[in-house]
Amino acid sequence: MTVMREVTLQDGPDGYGTRGAALRAGARAAVGAPAVVLAASYLGFGALVRSADWSLPLGLMSTALGFALPGQIVVVEMAAAGASLALIAAAVALTNFRLMPMTLVLMGRLRAPDTPRWWLYALAHVIAVTSWLVALQRAPRLPLAERLPFVAGFSVVIWAVTLTATAVGFWLHEQVPPLVSLALVFLTPLYFLLMMVADLRQRARVYAMVAGTLAGPPLHLLTPEWGLVLTGVLAGTLAFGLDRRAARRAAPTDADPGDV
């Protein structure tokens, strides 16, 4: 039995009609700004791999299996500095830990009753920050059965793009100045920030961005090693608390105003 079978779905306001159509729509959504930005970032990573005297197969394996640019950069830089395998593994685990709660939140919104569990495990591997944000923006408007195919189409396309860009960046290493390679790597977080700014309909996101913007610089000056982590924890906690408080105030009370 195939999971992506063509069945007519009528239960969503913005559905594509079939799971196959949702899969193709997700792939088309990735071809554009998401693919261009990630390709540019991974061009820089490919050049970084070459400058660290890694082989191309090793760089491609890093992208294929890791698929998280900050963690991949940590591996290359720490390996070049002669760090131990245990220390590199611990650093990568801390760098990529953010992806675990993000994926857990997303998977609960994608699974249809008839979705095999192994499909979720396979999709979780290709969930990146870009696909996670797009999924949170688009998936809730789709029928439940179309959500996973849409996100799968989007994620697989950008995964393939990053593999290709890693190889191209490796081959173009001599033509790409080191400063340009570093600048390209930072395009992805900048693009992620712009996507968040463009979709601030949720109150909690506004709170989190404002709190992070205010807390980030002083915490970085206070402790450069832990400033980013502390900013995320404090800003996220504050945003969650403020959003819950605002929701409680906006919720209607059980008491009848006429009884007061």
Side-chain angles (χ1 to χ4, degrees), residues 26-27 29-36 38-39 42 63 67 126-132 134 151-165:
V31 179
V36 170
L38 284 172
Y42 274 86
T63 298
F67 196 46
V126 291
I127 291 296
V129 173
T130 303
S131 54
W132 177 80
V134 169
V151 177
F154 184 95
S155 300
V156 170
V157 167
I158 64 172
W159 183 62
V161 166
T162 58
L163 283 170
T164 304

Side-chain angles (χ1 to χ4, degrees), residues 84-108:
S84 66
L85 182 60
L87 187 59
I88 293 175
V92 172
L94 289 173
T95 303
N96 290 341
F97 180 77
R98 73 195 190 284
L99 294 172
M100 184 181 72
M102 290 167 56
T103 303
L104 290 175
V105 169
L106 181 60
M107 288 300 138

Side-chain angles (χ1 to χ4, degrees), residues 26-123:
R28 289 194 300 269
V31 179
V36 170
V37 172
L38 284 172
S41 297
Y42 274 86
L43 284 173
F45 175 72
L48 178 64
V49 168
R50 182 69 175 271
S51 66
D53 293 327
W54 279 27
S55 66
L56 177 58
L58 196 57
L60 290 175
M61 185 175 68
S62 171
T63 298
L65 301 180
F67 196 46
L69 191 55
Q72 292 176 247
I73 294 173
V74 167
V75 171
V76 174
E77 291 186 344
M78 293 187 68
S84 66
L85 182 60
L87 187 59
I88 293 175
V92 172
L94 289 173
T95 303
N96 290 341
F97 180 77
R98 73 195 190 284
L99 294 172
M100 184 181 72
M102 290 167 56
T103 303
L104 290 175
V105 169
L106 181 60
M107 288 300 138
R109 303 186 181 189
L110 300 182
R111 185 180 183 185
D114 61 341
T115 302
R117 191 177 297 272
W118 71 268
W119 262 99
L120 298 176
Y121 292 141
L123 181 63

Side-chain angles (χ1 to χ4, degrees), residues 1-256:
M1 181 181 69
T2 176
V3 177
M4 294 300 178
R5 62 187 183 277
E6 295 282 338
V7 293
T8 301
L9 304 168
Q10 305 290 343
D11 56 342
D14 296 329
Y16 297 100
T18 66
R19 288 176 172 174
L23 179 70
R24 293 188 292 272
R28 289 194 300 269
V31 179
V36 170
V37 172
L38 284 172
S41 297
Y42 274 86
L43 284 173
F45 175 72
L48 178 64
V49 168
R50 182 69 175 271
S51 66
D53 293 327
W54 279 27
S55 66
L56 177 58
L58 196 57
L60 290 175
M61 185 175 68
S62 171
T63 298
L65 301 180
F67 196 46
L69 191 55
Q72 292 176 247
I73 294 173
V74 167
V75 171
V76 174
E77 291 186 344
M78 293 187 68
S84 66
L85 182 60
L87 187 59
I88 293 175
V92 172
L94 289 173
T95 303
N96 290 341
F97 180 77
R98 73 195 190 284
L99 294 172
M100 184 181 72
M102 290 167 56
T103 303
L104 290 175
V105 169
L106 181 60
M107 288 300 138
R109 303 186 181 189
L110 300 182
R111 185 180 183 185
D114 61 341
T115 302
R117 191 177 297 272
W118 71 268
W119 262 99
L120 298 176
Y121 292 141
L123 181 63
H125 174 69
V126 291
I127 291 296
V129 173
T130 303
S131 54
W132 177 80
L133 183 56
V134 169
L136 288 184
Q137 292 174 349
R138 302 283 293 273
R141 301 198 295 266
L142 297 176
L144 182 59
E146 294 186 23
R147 295 177 183 179
L148 190 143
F150 178 88
V151 177
F154 184 95
S155 300
V156 170
V157 167
I158 64 172
W159 183 62
V161 166
T162 58
L163 283 170
T164 304
T166 299
V168 174
F170 184 90
W171 291 324
L172 295 180
H173 165 63
E174 299 297 334
Q175 286 73 39
V176 180
L179 288 178
V180 175
S181 298
L182 185 62
L184 291 175
V185 166
F186 281 96
L187 280 180
T188 297
L190 178 60
Y191 175 66
F192 176 66
L193 175 63
L194 292 177
M195 290 182 68
M196 291 288 292
V197 171
D199 185 35
L200 291 179
R201 290 171 295 180
Q202 295 187 15
R203 184 173 49 224
R205 293 181 184 177
V206 178
Y207 292 153
M209 291 193 66
V210 172
T213 300
L214 295 177
L219 286 175
H220 176 74
L221 292 176
L222 180 65
T223 169
E225 296 83 0
W226 291 96
L228 183 61
V229 175
L230 292 175
T231 299
V233 172
L234 293 177
T237 303
L238 179 62
F240 179 79
L242 291 175
D243 184 61
R244 291 290 298 272
R245 181 180 180 184
R248 285 195 299 267
R249 288 184 173 182
T253 60
D254 294 334
D256 184 351

